[in-house]
Amino acid sequence: MAKILVVDDSPTQLTNLVKIVESQGHSVVTATNGMEGVDKAREEQPDLILMDVVMPELNGFQATRKITRDPSTEKIPVILVTTKDQETDKVWGERQGAFGYVVKPPVEAELVAMINKALG
């Protein structure tokens, strides 16, 4: 069982992602914006982060960059889970240090496979 941080400003999306993660037996910590996500990553030291991109304060690309470039959190894989479905968005996400990229609404089997891959 892993501890997974889910960061999303949409209550509906957050609930759906939490449900998927918990159905796999993992524990969940949540944040509702990018800045809170960065803070929770530092505090909680989760095994994995699922990060939305379009959020207030700090978007998911910015938050991912902060997490993957901070020595205290750089080893935590970040999977971007977003409505942004352009190839340029995926490339930009990878450049920020994201481990993977899943387009919303996520196909549960694909998301679970990506989570398992990230957790090794």
Side-chain angles (χ1 to χ4, degrees):
M1 179 164 78
K3 184 195 310 184
I4 298 179
L5 171 59
V6 179
V7 186
D8 201 310
D9 63 323
S10 159
T12 304
Q13 293 292 338
L14 194 62
T15 300
N16 290 341
L17 291 170
V18 167
K19 205 180 302 176
I20 292 169
V21 170
E22 287 179 339
S23 76
Q24 299 303 304
H26 303 299
S27 63
V28 179
V29 179
T30 62
T32 56
N33 65 56
M35 200 65 232
E36 185 184 359
V38 171
D39 292 342
K40 288 258 177 102
R42 290 182 183 135
E43 290 166 25
E44 299 282 344
Q45 290 294 306
D47 300 297
L48 174 69
I49 300 169
L50 299 181
M51 178 78 70
D52 184 22
V53 171
V54 182
M55 294 184 290
E57 290 188 50
L58 198 64
N59 72 41
F61 291 136
Q62 294 166 318
T64 297
R65 187 168 53 243
K66 281 184 175 294
I67 289 164
T68 59
R69 288 179 172 75
D70 181 331
S72 71
T73 55
E74 67 185 0
K75 301 251 188 294
I76 304 168
V78 178
I79 297 172
L80 295 170
V81 184
T82 177
T83 55
K84 295 177 79 59
D85 62 356
Q86 300 299 306
E87 191 59 35
T88 52
D89 297 319
K90 293 176 186 174
V91 169
W92 187 244
E94 288 168 7
R95 286 193 180 153
Q96 307 318 302
F99 175 88
Y101 198 98
V102 176
V103 177
K104 287 180 184 173
V107 174
E108 187 169 343
E110 288 176 17
L111 181 59
V112 169
M114 180 77 74
I115 289 169
N116 292 337
K117 185 177 173 188
L119 294 173

